[in-house]
Amino acid sequence: RPDRSGCVGRGIMTNMDPTDEDYGRWKSLVPFLYDWLAHHRLVWPSLSCRWGQILEQGDYKLKQRLYLSEQTDGSSPTFPNTLTVANVEVVKRRVAAAEHLTFNEEERSAFVKRVKTIIHPGEVNKIREFEASPELFVTHTDAPELFVWNADSQPHRKTGPNMDTEKEGATTPSTPDLVLVGHEENAEFALAVHRERFHVASGGKDQNVLIWNIADHDGGKLWSGRVSDGHGRPAKGALSPRARSGDGVGARSGDFGGAPALAPALKFLGHVDTVEDVAFHPSSALELCSVGDDSALIFWDGRAGTGPTHRVGEAHESDVHCVDWSLLDENAIVTGGADSIVRLWDRRKLSSKGADCVVWSSPAGLHADGITTVQWCPDQDGVFASAGEDGYLNVFDRSRIGAEQTPEAKKLGPPEVLFQHAGHRSSLADFHWNPCDPWTIASVSSGDGGNTLQLWRMTDLLYRPEAEALAELEKHKHAICGMKKPTEDVEGGSDGEDKENGAGDAMVE
C-alpha cells in the first residue's frame, strides 16, 4: 500500500489509513471540513443508497426520501434481505449546529427514520430511482431479472423479532410491481435509469446490454387498477391482458408472486465478458455507454442497430467496474476500474485503444484498492467523485486539472482533488449526490470497520473563490484559533496585537 501519512491540506485528509488513530484525527477535523454530517450505524451491510423525492421544505431543514438495501446473512427467515424506505432530515447549508457535526459510531442518527420495509427476492446489489416518477425505483439482485417497485403502494413488511413466522406468507418476499426479463444469465450490478424518461438499461454475465421502457407495460399505466393483498401480492384478476408480455423471454429464476413481466425493447451485443455498469446519454434514452470485465468502454445507439457505435479497448488495465455520463456535458464520461484508477474521457476524442485517447487518469495511490462507484455531480459542471474499496470518497474538479501549484501545495496532493471524505472505516459500496440539495452526498460502507450510512456536505470554503474564502477566514480567525481580539488585549499593547495577528495569519495560510 502507498504511504498513508494522514497529511491535511485545503481541507482534505489524503492517504489516511483507517486505523483508530488516524480515524480519530479525521473525526477531530469534522467541524472544520464539513458544513453538515450525519452518521447512521446500520445493523446489516448495505450495497446501495439513493436519494428520492423531497417530502417537506422547512426554513432550516428539508425532509427527503432515501432508499437503502439491507444484505443479511440468511441465518434466519426472520431476517431476510430487504429494501428500506427511509425519511431523512437534511440540514440546509450554513445552519447546522455544533451537535450536528458530532456523533458516536455505534448510534443511529435521529435524522434517519425508517418508514417502510420491503422483503426483497434475494440480496439487493443496486438501486436506481426514476426521477420522472420519484416513487418508483428498480433493483438488481443475483438473478437474470430486474424488479420495479412503487415505494408508495408497496405494503410495509415486518421483519426480525416482530415477524410472526406462523402467519401465512410472513416470510415470502414482497411481490414486485413489474419484473424486467430478457437476460440469459445473472445481471447483478450494471443498472441505469434515464433521468427524464422511463427507460431502464442493464448489463449482465450474458455479456448483453438491454433497454426496457416501462411505459410499454399497460400503456404506461403500470399501477392503474392494481389491487394488492396484505403481502404485496397482486389480487386475482387485477392484471391487464398485457401484463404478462415478458412470458417466455430470457432466463427466469422464479415466479415472484405472479408479478407482471416485461421484455426488453432493445438488445445490444459487443462485450466479450461480464458487463459491470451502464450509463445513459444525458438527453437521449437510446444512447448509452457500458463497461465490463473485458476492460472495454463501449458506446451504443439504438437508432444505429445492435452493435457498438464505438469501442475503446483496454480502457483500464483490468476490469472496469463503473461508468457515468455527465448530465451537464454530453462529451464527458468518467470510469473507475479494479486497477484503482479513475479515468476521464472526451467522446469527441475517442480511439480504439484507451491509452491513446484517455483525457486524464487519477494519480497513483489516490485510491489504494478497486473503484466501486463514480458519479458526476448533477449541478456543478466539471465536478465528479469516486468511491473505492479502500473506504475513501474523492471529489474532483475537472477545471483544476493541470493548475499550477506551489512546492508546498504539491506535497498535499494534485490540484484537481477538491476533497477527500474519510469517514468510512471499511469498503465504500455506493454513494449518491443529492439531486435536490447541492453538494450533499449519501454514502454507505460495509465490512469489518462497520456498516454505516453517512449524509454529508463539505464546507463551502473549499469550493468558493479562494479570495472570498480567505477573506471569511480572516474575519473569523480569532474565534477559530481561540484567541482574544486585539481590542480585548489590555496588557499586550502593540506587540501583543502583532503576535495575535501573526498567529492568525499563519492559520489562514
Side-chain angles (χ1 to χ4, degrees):
R1 296 170 68 89
D3 173 59
R4 318 295 281 173
S5 59
C7 58
V8 178
R10 289 175 42 236
I12 60 175
M13 179 169 287
T14 60
N15 300 329
M16 184 190 70
D17 195 320
T19 61
D20 288 344
E21 179 182 354
D22 288 336
Y23 175 80
R25 185 183 306 126
W26 167 82
K27 190 175 179 181
S28 69
L29 292 169
V30 166
F32 301 98
L33 305 183
Y34 294 83
D35 180 69
W36 174 63
L37 185 144
H39 176 99
H40 185 73
R41 183 62 183 262
L42 301 171
V43 177
W44 299 103
S46 177
L47 299 183
S48 193
C49 63
R50 300 296 288 186
W51 294 101
Q53 73 268 38
I54 290 181
L55 305 173
E56 294 179 13
Q57 278 276 14
D59 292 336
Y60 303 107
K61 298 178 184 177
L62 59 88
K63 181 182 289 187
Q64 190 170 358
R65 182 65 51 81
L66 185 76
Y67 302 119
L68 287 168
S69 67
E70 280 188 323
Q71 182 184 7
T72 64
D73 57 10
S75 60
S76 170
T78 61
F79 292 104
N81 293 292
T82 62
L83 283 162
T84 295
V85 181
N87 291 344
V88 299
E89 291 183 335
V90 180
V91 178
K92 293 187 175 182
R93 192 168 70 93
R94 292 201 155 218
V95 299
E99 59 267 23
H100 296 155
L101 295 169
T102 59
F103 60 90
N104 183 311
E105 283 79 5
E106 300 302 320
E107 292 181 352
R108 301 171 72 82
S109 173
F111 292 105
V112 181
K113 298 185 185 301
R114 181 196 299 257
V115 294
K116 183 175 290 187
T117 297
I118 299 170
I119 299 180
H120 195 269
E123 65 183 43
V124 183
N125 296 328
K126 188 167 282 191
I127 305 169
R128 288 294 179 265
E129 75 290 351
F130 290 82
E131 289 191 39
S133 188
E135 76 279 6
L136 307 183
F137 59 97
V138 59
T139 57
H140 252 323
T141 186
D142 295 339
E145 302 92 348
L146 291 72
F147 307 110
V148 180
W149 309 87
N150 185 324
D152 291 344
S153 64
Q154 281 286 330
H156 171 67
R157 301 290 300 278
K158 293 182 179 180
T159 61
N162 295 324
M163 178 185 284
D164 181 5
T165 57
E166 301 299 322
K167 185 177 180 180
E168 182 183 358
T171 60
T172 303
S174 301
T175 297
D177 292 276
L178 184 66
V179 179
L180 305 182
V181 299
H183 280 294
E184 300 296 338
E185 297 183 51
N186 286 358
E188 300 174 347
F189 295 103
L191 180 62
V193 173
H194 197 272
R195 66 185 302 242
E196 297 175 344
R197 302 176 187 174
F198 292 91
H199 290 71
V200 178
S202 170
K205 291 184 176 181
D206 58 4
Q207 305 170 17
N208 297 330
V209 174
L210 308 180
I211 292 182
W212 297 263
N213 182 1
I214 67 168
D216 290 341
H217 174 69
D218 272 358
K221 298 179 181 179
L222 184 58
W223 294 270
S224 177
R226 286 294 303 277
V227 180
S228 298
D229 65 12
H231 303 294
R233 295 188 292 258
K236 294 181 179 180
L239 304 181
S240 75
R242 297 187 56 196
R244 302 294 294 184
S245 59
D247 279 352
V249 178
R252 299 298 298 268
S253 62
D255 181 65
F256 308 108
L262 181 68
L266 291 169
K267 180 179 180 179
F268 299 107
L269 308 173
H271 279 284
V272 295
D273 208 332
T274 300
V275 182
E276 292 284 359
D277 201 9
V278 289
F280 275 108
H281 182 280
S283 59
S284 172
L286 296 177
E287 294 180 72
L288 68 161
C289 61
S290 59
V291 295
D293 292 347
D294 53 6
S295 302
L297 166 62
I298 300 182
F299 292 82
W300 317 88
D301 189 337
R303 299 163 296 188
T306 61
T309 57
H310 195 94
R311 177 189 176 94
V312 179
E314 301 178 35
H316 285 255
E317 295 181 2
S318 55
D319 301 353
V320 190
H321 287 167
C322 43
V323 62
D324 196 33
W325 203 324
S326 173
L327 297 176
L328 304 178
D329 183 349
E330 65 175 11
N331 295 309
I333 296 97
V334 63
T335 59
D339 55 5
S340 75
I341 299 298
V342 179
R343 287 187 166 172
L344 191 60
W345 310 86
D346 188 326
R347 191 172 59 145
R348 299 164 297 185
K349 302 176 182 179
L350 298 177
S351 63
S352 61
K353 190 174 181 180
D356 299 331
C357 61
V358 62
V359 173
W360 170 86
S361 292
S362 59
L366 199 59
H367 279 290
D369 291 300
I371 309 300
T372 57
T373 310
V374 291
Q375 189 181 130
W376 290 94
C377 182
D379 46 47
Q380 306 295 325
D381 189 21
V383 175
F384 60 97
S386 64
E389 295 172 2
D390 58 2
Y392 296 112
L393 194 155
N394 294 314
V395 180
F396 303 91
D397 185 347
R398 183 178 58 176
S399 67
R400 300 189 184 193
I401 295 175
E404 293 185 5
Q405 289 181 288
T406 64
E408 291 76 14
K410 289 180 179 179
K411 297 177 182 178
L412 302 176
E416 62 268 25
V417 181
L418 181 63
F419 188 77
Q420 185 177 71
H421 178 61
H424 293 282
R425 307 172 77 178
S426 52
S427 177
L428 215 158
D430 196 16
F431 74 91
H432 188 204
W433 293 94
N434 192 331
C436 305
D437 192 60
W439 293 101
T440 302
I441 290 177
S443 53
V444 288
S445 63
S446 60
D448 294 339
N451 309 314
T452 59
L453 162 70
Q454 292 184 342
L455 314 173
W456 54 276
R457 184 190 311 115
M458 71 180 82
T459 174
D460 61 8
L461 293 173
L462 296 174
Y463 54 79
R464 284 163 56 194
E466 183 175 351
E468 184 180 317
L470 289 176
E472 182 165 341
L473 285 172
E474 178 71 23
K475 179 180 178 181
H476 299 289
K477 65 183 180 182
H478 294 90
I480 295 173
C481 294
M483 302 180 301
K484 294 180 179 180
K485 292 183 179 180
T487 55
E488 297 174 351
D489 190 352
V490 296
E491 298 181 0
S494 59
D495 290 340
E497 181 176 330
D498 289 340
K499 290 179 181 178
E500 284 184 352
N501 285 336
D505 291 342
M507 180 278 299
V508 172
E509 181 65 27

